[in-house]
Amino acid sequence: MTALRRFATNRLAVVGAVALAVLVLFAVLGPLVYPTEQVATDLGAANLPPGVDGHPLGTDALGYDNLGRLMVAGRVSLLVGVLAGALATVVGTLWGAVAGYVGGVVDAVMMRVVDAGIAIPAIFLLLVLSTIVRPTVGMMIVVLGLVSWLVPARLIRAEALSVKTRDYVVAARAMGATHRRTVLSHVIPNTVGTVVVNATFQVADAILLVAYISFLGMGIQPPTTDWGAMLNDGINYIYQGAWWLILPPGLAIVIVVCALNFVGDGLRDVVDVKGRTA
Amino acid sequence: MSAPTSGTGGETPADDVVLRIRDLNVTFTTGSGDVPALRGIDLEVRRGRVVALVGESGSGKSVTSLSVLGLLPSTARITGSVELADGGRLRDVAAAAEDELVDLRGRVVSMVFQEPMTALNPTMTLGDQIAEAVLNHERVPRAAARERAVELLRSVGIPEPERRARQYPHELSGGQRQRVVIAIALACEPRLIVADEPTTALDVTVQAEILDLLRELVAQRDTALLLVTHNMGVVADIASDVAVMKGGRIVEHGPVEQVLLAPEHEYTRTLLDAVPAVPPASREARVREVERVSSEVVLDLRGVSLDYRVQGRHVRAVDALDLTVRAGEMLGLVGESGSGKSTAGRACLGLLAPSEGEVLLLGTSVAKARGRARRRLLADVGVVFQDPGASLDPRKLVGESVAEPLAIHGRDGRRLSAAERHARVRELLDAVRLPAGAERRYPHEFSGGQRQRIGLARALALRPRLLVADEPTSALDVSVQAEVLQVLRDLHDELGFGCLFISHDLGVVHELTDRVAVLRAGRLVESGPTADVFGAPRELYTAELLASVPTPDPAAQRERRAARHRLASGVVVGVGPDTAPGSSAAPGSGAA
Amino acid sequence: MTTAIPAASGTPGAEAAAPVPVRAQRGGFGRFLIRRVLQALAVVLVVSVIVFALLHALPGGPARGVLGQQATPEQIAAFEAANGLDQPVVLQYLSFLGRSLTGDLGESYLLNQSVADAIGLRLPKTLLLTGLSLVVAVLVALPVGVYQAVRRNRAVDYWLSTLAIVAYSTPTFFLGMLLILLLSQTAGLFPAAAPQGNGVLDVLSQPAGLVLPVLTGAVPIVATFSRYMRSSTLDNLGEDYVRTARAKGTAYRAVVLRHVLRNSLTPVVAMLGYYLPVMFGGALVVEQLFNYPGMGLLFWSAAQSSDFPVLLGCVLVISVATVVGSLLADVVQALLDPRTRGGMR
């Protein structure tokens, strides 16, 4: 209750949550309300400007209705983003928690692996991987998840290190609590806030990464598409002033990533306050 | 106006008034409404006087001190006047614009803060930080300001001032840093220095030296000092007048002898009664305790040494320590910061493994016990830590926290049913005098003192044979401390556990414990019955430590101070603990 | 571009998410330096293992990777024998490591050039582009961050923060497209094509063409680092030494410039090192978008044509550059702080 109210005091977070809900509804339910042909091309109706022939946002070079395409592309972007973000969060949390709690040599080795992973720019790694494995939606989720778990791993490690030294954890150890009990009943519940907040940012990042890979032409293959791929398709027409191919998918990405960041900030306020009063 | 205002009320300000506060009200605007901090303060400080502002946390004493320099945050709403004498005229800080305040600060009034470890800029040399104060107000060449800085360092008793001026704060101990902060405050010879808990973060021996310095400087330079403190002993040591604050008001005000020895206000009396004192050499036998103590040894440290690894080097925190605690006995372990007392406490809990020697709990070595045997051993030990904010898991209900030992160990070798557990939790919370329903609330809903009592309840859940209490009341106000100690004493009488009571506060240890062990730099200095050790210390260090604790009686404190000076001059001159780097961090932080 | 770091965008968690620094304390600067260098070497070693593993994950193994998809089984067998690929994996790795150390990264089978030469020709241009973006970004971000901290929770701070999140949430390529649309197509101020040429000087001789790529690269850095600087400055404004400085009559402005600025910069310098991989990733996108002849574009074309030696060579070089950059950032940070520097004497 109070957590919800605290979240609500951050106006941007509320705006973000609403925008997120609207975009998800748009992508998931949109095609049911506004069905369009998104598999077969229609070159006769290619490159129409908005408003012509009942295409509110025009059509692209292959004659796909742009509004409908925005919806189905959104499904892919959001799905890959959420699942890859979730995968990265789970892997990163486990890795970081183990490194932070166990400490010592184990920690040092585990964190050098993380350092190395972070030293390789994610996009470079993703491009190499997508030349090796054929990028499908499922593959994309796995690959993105596997390059994105590093930052949460660092974050959770730091958190675990700090929780581990708090008096209540030390007291539990002094009472004879097992490691298992200490981790399950004290360490994890007290890092869960950080994990949840970070997961939000992780999803935002994954959505951006999908867009980058698709924009670079190494993403999920047609006819499946996502917002980044739409931008990649549209860039060739940018000099002809075909703004309707660029702005809608671009803005969709900006809005969804912004919204997730706002929501994440709001969640952090909630989590932080709880930590502070304790 | 409930406060007797003996120092104020003159219609025309006398020549020697340096600060006059009239009907000062401060209210803070917060997200959840207005919070009044000061309600109608009247106060006057005259040249050469030391006025102490005492009170517990939340009394408004720090707000008062900040308002004198116009340093209150922008959320503060101020009415009334705070006038400072500048040359021949009075200037009202409460109504002054920022550039006017910048002109007054440092020149007419300056300030010394509580935390010397953080009060200085870590990336600027000490000399530059002092010179800056000079350059803020005087048009002198930079080189001249630097020379002044060296002189100021010398005058606050920093050895080798030329070299020190080129150093950075981290190269000095806490006591020395506080001297530098004082040098900054003195730089432009202000008429008034405001000192907000200037010795609270320091060890007692260092505190005594800093108080000596302040006393000298005030006398030499005819400066006035407004001293904010919670410590009645400090008041007795240095103040000429006292104002007692409570809830944003001054409840009693007068000369120091009158307020401390014949307090008129009920609150002042309560405050004074709550101060645990170290009396001068009295040898009253503590028959009651002696009877209760059995011969069974619950904790036995045999030649225990503990090492830390810092940057690959071994640092010995505790060196060949021998201690025993018997059932029903309270052993005080005292020492200044860095003495290794907290480290020793952690070893007793099996949290640290000794590099040499043995820790025996109930005759069994903790370090060697493994698995089930170790857990069974630990079931007989309870622990209470210093920080009331950190000792309870913020995400667990108080009831869950108190029941944790029961959940880990069960009782008498079997698991407890939910109802049994609940009943036991209720019993424990009753024993530490917490209201019904407390078990269904979260820690942050309780005050510091209440949380420490909850911690005590948890520690005693399994009726342990040994309780390790590491500075359990050091973060609390004296009146709250008195409550918590009373609860501890009662439960100790009732349950008869052995207790290792770790503290830097000699007064508390004196009031509470049967025997005491004094630790210095990881070594045992001396140990014995508390009354004997405190009444007639065999070791010089113990005597110095005892003489450094200020007592809230001005006359007695003068004697104690003289005794300390005699002790100090009897030994190597000028080598106090203050001059050893790293000798003073936050009290009680120990090395743990 | 922003990926892989955003959770750390100037947020309280950011410092916690920073690489595990070897805490340089009174133990001394020398010891700190040795440990930090060893740590960097360990990281480079792990990177080399990852790259080696990728090499073996190629379809058909490294032989096909090098010889191309058209290679016959006989050619592959001959190649494997000639290059010791029939030896145990550990030996292969060691020889790979040895070759990499001597700068032998193999041959590109498209460019008719050794990988080392191909990278050597383009890396300076990428460093130029990234460096210019960084300089521009830092010159904007630091003052903005300090200004926001001083005006914290006022309307201007609120709007600047929101703007930073929006800028940060905008994919670099989309931002670049918008800039092309607005500044090139509509206003005609700058060319949309980046300068071409072999050397750094050729590129520098066409400054107008650099404007849009540098600007595109700089915006996300500004967004990120203004947030870092804001939170670092805010932390320092709350420190006790600020109160001490004010109490001695230092004007607020002087407190900020003389005391707070220096102390706030230190952690931000370390974050710069941490941010390097993100900047290199951003350079790839910018180069591809503006057709700038740097290492990013080389990498992208290699990805299009499955030129594996070039791909893996680039990954190795970029990663090592990142590790070295973070190392330098940490050392600079340690030097800026007298608490760590003291041990040098």
Side-chain angles (χ1 to χ4, degrees):
Chain A
M1 267 307 136
T2 47
L4 194 65
R5 206 171 302 140
R6 210 172 282 137
F7 182 81
T9 56
N10 186 334
R11 269 177 299 162
L12 277 179
V14 176
V15 170
V18 171
L20 213 53
V22 169
L23 267 172
V24 169
L25 286 178
F26 171 78
V28 176
L29 299 182
L32 305 179
V33 181
Y34 179 79
T36 50
E37 174 57 57
Q38 295 293 344
V39 179
T41 56
D42 178 7
L43 293 176
N47 287 331
L48 297 176
V52 176
D53 277 353
H55 298 292
L57 280 179
T59 59
D60 68 7
L62 297 175
Y64 293 130
D65 176 84
N66 210 31
L67 180 61
R69 198 146 187 80
L70 199 60
M71 294 170 181
V72 296
R75 287 180 170 186
V76 175
S77 285
L78 292 173
L79 182 75
V80 174
V82 168
L83 291 184
L87 181 64
T89 301
V90 171
V91 175
T93 301
L94 290 177
W95 190 278
V98 170
Y101 188 77
V102 176
V105 179
V106 174
D107 177 37
V109 171
M110 288 176 87
M111 289 328 282
R112 288 306 79 72
V113 172
V114 171
D115 289 350
I118 283 182
I120 306 174
I123 291 195
F124 284 71
L125 195 55
L126 279 173
L127 287 192
V128 175
L129 288 174
S130 57
T131 58
I132 297 174
V133 292
R134 205 185 132 68
T136 60
V137 170
M139 210 58 229
M140 207 65 182
I141 291 169
V142 172
V143 167
L144 275 175
L146 289 183
V147 301
S148 318
W149 60 276
L150 304 154
V151 170
R154 266 187 186 164
L155 205 65
I156 298 307
R157 170 187 176 271
E159 191 77 4
L161 273 181
S162 119
V163 168
K164 176 167 90 160
T165 59
R166 307 239 170 102
D167 281 349
Y168 56 83
V169 174
V170 179
R173 294 292 303 148
M175 275 175 230
T178 56
H179 284 295
R180 194 181 120 88
R181 186 189 170 84
T182 313
V183 170
L184 290 182
S185 112
H186 295 292
V187 177
I188 287 181
N190 280 287
T191 46
V192 98
T194 312
V195 172
V196 169
V197 170
N198 184 256
T200 324
F201 297 127
Q202 218 54 56
V203 171
D205 285 3
I207 288 175
L208 275 177
L209 263 182
V210 183
Y212 279 107
I213 299 308
S214 296
F215 170 75
L216 292 170
M218 304 296 288
I220 300 155
Q221 299 302 305
T224 310
T225 190
D226 68 271
W227 289 331
M230 285 179 76
L231 279 164
N232 185 32
D233 295 338
I235 188 172
N236 298 320
Y237 304 92
I238 188 172
Y239 300 105
Q240 289 140 42
W243 58 267
W244 61 92
L245 296 180
I246 304 293
L247 285 186
L251 287 179
I253 296 173
V254 174
I255 290 170
V256 80
V257 176
C258 268
L260 282 164
N261 275 294
F262 290 151
V263 169
D265 279 347
L267 286 177
R268 182 169 42 220
D269 291 348
V270 174
V271 172
D272 274 0
V273 171
K274 200 156 193 178
R276 208 177 303 139
T277 50
Chain B
M1 180 91 320
S2 63
T5 51
S6 57
T8 64
E11 285 73 33
T12 48
D15 290 344
D16 59 352
V17 169
V18 293
L19 168 69
R20 190 173 62 182
I21 298 176
R22 277 194 174 167
D23 193 26
L24 179 65
N25 291 278
V26 174
T27 305
F28 288 104
T29 321
T30 70
S32 47
D34 287 357
V35 180
L38 296 182
R39 316 164 194 238
I41 297 290
D42 290 290
L43 190 71
E44 211 168 76
V45 179
R46 287 162 194 262
R47 193 196 308 156
R49 303 290 280 179
V50 177
V51 177
L53 215 50
V54 295
E56 297 190 289
S57 37
S59 62
K61 56 190 196 302
S62 284
V63 173
T64 310
S65 72
L66 288 173
S67 71
V68 174
L69 281 92
L71 282 173
L72 289 172
S74 57
T75 52
R77 274 205 326 275
I78 306 162
T79 64
S81 67
V82 179
E83 292 169 311
L84 286 168
D86 177 17
R89 63 207 178 96
L90 288 174
R91 294 173 67 177
D92 185 2
V93 173
E98 178 66 21
D99 53 349
E100 217 177 320
L101 290 173
V102 165
D103 171 50
L104 289 171
R105 289 181 200 138
R107 186 174 62 81
V108 174
V109 59
S110 63
M111 190 150 180
V112 176
F113 298 96
Q114 172 169 354
E115 216 13 280
M117 305 311 276
T118 54
L120 294 166
N121 183 344
T123 57
M124 196 186 257
T125 62
L126 301 169
D128 282 351
Q129 296 192 51
I130 303 172
E132 186 186 15
V134 177
L135 292 167
N136 279 341
H137 300 290
E138 294 172 31
R139 301 182 67 85
V140 294
R142 189 163 287 273
R146 289 235 173 82
E147 272 170 41
R148 268 272 278 295
V150 173
E151 277 322 299
L152 282 158
L153 282 174
R154 198 189 311 280
S155 68
V156 294
I158 297 267
E160 298 181 81
E162 290 86 359
R163 189 170 68 88
R164 290 296 188 185
R166 290 190 302 272
Q167 289 189 324
Y168 290 92
H170 73 274
E171 297 173 74
L172 271 63
S173 71
Q176 285 176 320
R177 286 191 218 186
Q178 197 62 312
R179 287 173 190 263
V180 174
V181 175
I182 292 171
I184 292 174
L186 289 172
C188 297
E189 310 244 330
R191 306 278 296 274
L192 173 67
I193 295 175
V194 179
D196 188 352
E197 304 269 10
T199 59
T200 305
L202 305 172
D203 280 327
V204 272
T205 50
V206 183
Q207 162 170 291
E209 288 163 20
I210 295 291
L211 289 175
D212 282 350
L213 175 68
L214 285 172
R215 188 182 309 102
E216 265 170 47
L217 291 170
V218 168
Q220 276 170 16
R221 303 181 180 224
D222 211 16
T223 309
L225 179 65
L226 178 63
L227 177 81
V228 173
T229 184
H230 70 285
N231 187 327
M232 289 296 187
V234 169
V235 175
D237 188 63
I238 192 170
S240 42
D241 304 272
V242 191
V244 181
M245 290 191 72
K246 185 188 188 222
R249 292 196 172 87
I250 293 179
V251 294
E252 181 161 7
H253 186 185
V256 65
E257 278 85 4
Q258 183 194 316
V259 175
L260 292 187
L261 298 180
E264 280 172 13
H265 198 278
E266 179 60 38
Y267 178 67
T268 314
R269 273 196 292 273
T270 322
L271 216 51
L272 283 165
D273 286 346
V275 177
V278 183
S282 76
R283 285 174 178 271
E284 51 180 284
R286 310 185 98 197
V287 186
R288 187 179 58 97
E289 279 89 346
V290 173
E291 275 176 359
R292 199 188 51 215
V293 175
S294 76
S295 60
E296 187 201 4
V297 173
V298 289
L299 173 69
D300 193 0
L301 268 62
R302 294 185 183 166
V304 168
S305 294
L306 292 151
D307 293 328
Y308 267 103
R309 268 189 62 181
V310 179
Q311 299 276 317
R313 279 174 308 185
H314 285 270
V315 177
R316 185 140 284 197
V318 173
D319 194 11
L321 179 63
D322 294 308
L323 281 183
T324 51
V325 178
R326 289 167 203 284
E329 173 187 57
M330 271 211 197
L331 173 72
L333 186 59
V334 301
E336 297 189 288
S337 39
S339 63
K341 55 188 191 303
S342 283
T343 311
R346 301 214 160 197
C348 298
L349 296 164
L351 294 169
L352 295 172
S355 42
E356 280 165 40
E358 258 190 326
V359 178
L360 299 178
L361 281 176
L362 308 163
T364 313
S365 165
V366 230
K368 287 181 189 144
R370 289 271 174 278
R372 193 172 289 270
R374 177 187 166 87
R375 277 210 297 287
R376 208 173 301 127
L377 200 55
L378 290 173
D380 278 323
V381 186
V383 58
V384 185
F385 287 118
Q386 172 176 3
D387 183 0
S391 54
L392 300 170
D393 188 334
R395 283 175 203 278
K396 287 212 174 343
L397 292 169
V398 162
E400 294 176 288
S401 282
V402 173
E404 195 174 5
L406 302 168
I408 294 171
H409 297 286
R411 199 149 111 217
D412 309 326
R414 66 178 185 90
R415 295 206 145 274
L416 289 154
S417 70
E420 283 174 311
R421 207 183 285 184
H422 184 79
R424 176 67 181 146
V425 166
R426 193 54 254 162
E427 203 177 291
L428 287 160
L429 290 174
D430 279 340
V432 297
R433 295 169 209 165
L434 278 166
E439 61 268 44
R440 287 186 302 277
R441 287 155 69 192
Y442 283 97
H444 68 84
E445 299 174 59
F446 294 90
S447 69
Q450 287 173 320
R451 279 188 239 171
Q452 287 304 71
R453 283 189 272 149
I454 295 168
L456 188 58
R458 177 179 61 187
L460 299 177
L462 295 170
R463 297 197 169 67
R465 314 283 298 281
L466 172 71
L467 178 73
V468 176
D470 188 356
E471 303 265 9
T473 58
S474 300
L476 306 175
D477 279 327
V478 275
S479 60
V480 181
Q481 164 172 288
E483 276 168 38
V484 174
L485 292 180
Q486 189 55 49
V487 170
L488 175 62
R489 197 178 289 134
D490 293 350
L491 288 169
H492 183 244
D493 285 350
E494 188 188 323
L495 302 173
F497 48 81
C499 176
L500 178 68
F501 189 91
I502 301 167
S503 180
H504 72 284
D505 190 328
L506 300 181
V508 170
V509 169
H510 176 263
E511 286 205 345
L512 203 66
T513 62
D514 311 302
R515 287 196 308 126
V516 66
V518 182
L519 222 54
R520 185 195 195 183
R523 284 171 198 266
L524 187 64
V525 176
E526 69 173 301
S527 65
T530 308
D532 293 352
V533 172
F534 282 21
R538 291 191 305 273
E539 298 294 324
L540 184 67
Y541 176 69
T542 316
E544 277 183 319
L545 209 55
L546 287 164
S548 299
V549 182
T551 182
D553 172 338
Q557 175 54 23
R558 264 193 299 280
E559 276 169 34
R560 189 170 288 192
R561 193 160 67 223
R564 179 168 60 82
H565 288 155
R566 278 196 302 278
L567 282 169
S569 56
V571 236
V572 198
V573 182
V575 185
D578 183 16
T579 46
S583 71
S584 50
S589 68
Chain C
M1 100 102 213
T2 44
T3 41
I5 191 180
S9 39
T11 63
E15 283 72 34
V20 191
V22 181
R23 271 262 169 263
Q25 282 181 349
R26 285 180 207 179
F29 183 77
R31 187 178 281 274
F32 159 76
L33 194 63
I34 291 168
R35 282 188 64 182
R36 189 60 188 77
V37 168
L38 287 179
Q39 198 177 327
L41 285 177
V43 172
V44 169
L45 214 60
V46 179
V47 167
S48 74
V49 171
I50 294 175
V51 172
F52 180 73
L54 285 174
L55 197 67
H56 280 258
L58 297 179
R64 193 172 286 281
V66 172
L67 298 175
Q69 299 301 322
Q70 290 80 27
T72 62
E74 292 76 34
Q75 282 175 306
I76 287 178
F79 180 88
E80 289 191 337
N83 289 282
L85 291 173
D86 42 2
Q87 289 178 346
V89 175
V90 177
L91 285 181
Q92 286 188 46
Y93 169 70
L94 289 177
S95 94
F96 160 79
L97 198 62
R99 273 182 281 124
S100 304
L101 282 177
T102 55
D104 176 9
L105 298 171
E107 295 283 323
S108 160
Y109 58 79
L110 275 188
L111 295 174
N112 206 11
Q113 207 175 14
S114 80
V115 173
D117 286 349
I119 292 175
L121 191 63
R122 291 166 180 82
L123 184 60
K125 284 178 276 185
T126 294
L127 292 179
L128 173 74
L129 181 66
T130 318
L132 282 176
S133 293
L134 182 63
V135 169
V136 170
V138 164
L139 288 180
V140 177
L142 300 190
V144 167
V146 173
Y147 179 74
Q148 279 187 265
V150 171
R151 303 262 149 187
R152 63 186 164 282
N153 299 331
R154 310 262 185 88
V156 60
D157 172 35
Y158 184 80
W159 285 112
L160 283 171
S161 287
T162 307
L163 188 65
I165 293 188
V166 173
Y168 164 81
S169 304
T170 307
T172 309
F173 55 86
F174 182 58
L175 179 78
M177 288 180 196
L178 292 181
L179 289 177
I180 290 172
L181 268 177
L182 288 175
L183 299 182
S184 182
Q185 292 302 103
T186 311
L189 290 175
F190 306 104
Q196 301 298 315
N198 267 337
V200 171
L201 288 178
D202 298 331
V203 172
L204 276 176
S205 65
Q206 307 155 58
L210 275 175
V211 173
L212 289 186
V214 167
L215 203 59
T216 308
V219 167
I221 311 179
V222 172
T224 306
F225 277 83
S226 63
R227 292 188 82 182
Y228 287 153
M229 195 62 197
R230 175 182 182 273
S231 82
S232 177
T233 308
L234 267 184
D235 286 351
N236 273 283
L237 282 174
E239 289 286 334
D240 285 352
Y241 71 78
V242 168
R243 210 173 45 175
T244 311
R246 293 186 69 199
K248 64 185 165 189
T250 310
Y252 194 70
R253 203 186 157 77
V255 172
V256 173
L257 295 179
R258 211 180 291 156
H259 294 270
V260 172
L261 192 58
R262 160 101 191 250
N263 287 299
S264 313
L265 269 176
T266 322
V268 173
V269 167
M271 291 311 289
L272 269 180
Y274 178 44
Y275 195 68
L276 280 176
V278 182
M279 274 190 286
F280 285 128
L284 194 162
V285 178
V286 171
E287 291 181 9
Q288 195 271 344
L289 184 67
F290 291 95
N291 198 31
Y292 179 91
M295 195 164 149
L297 193 61
L298 171 74
F299 185 81
W300 182 76
S301 345
Q304 299 293 309
S305 53
S306 300
D307 190 349
F308 291 110
V310 171
L311 282 179
L312 296 176
C314 284
V315 169
L316 201 59
V317 168
I318 284 284
S319 309
V320 171
T322 303
V323 174
V324 172
S326 321
L327 175 65
L328 286 179
D330 275 3
V331 171
V332 169
Q333 185 202 21
L335 286 176
L336 279 175
D337 189 337
R339 281 163 290 189
T340 48
R341 193 178 53 206
M344 278 193 300
R345 290 179 211 136

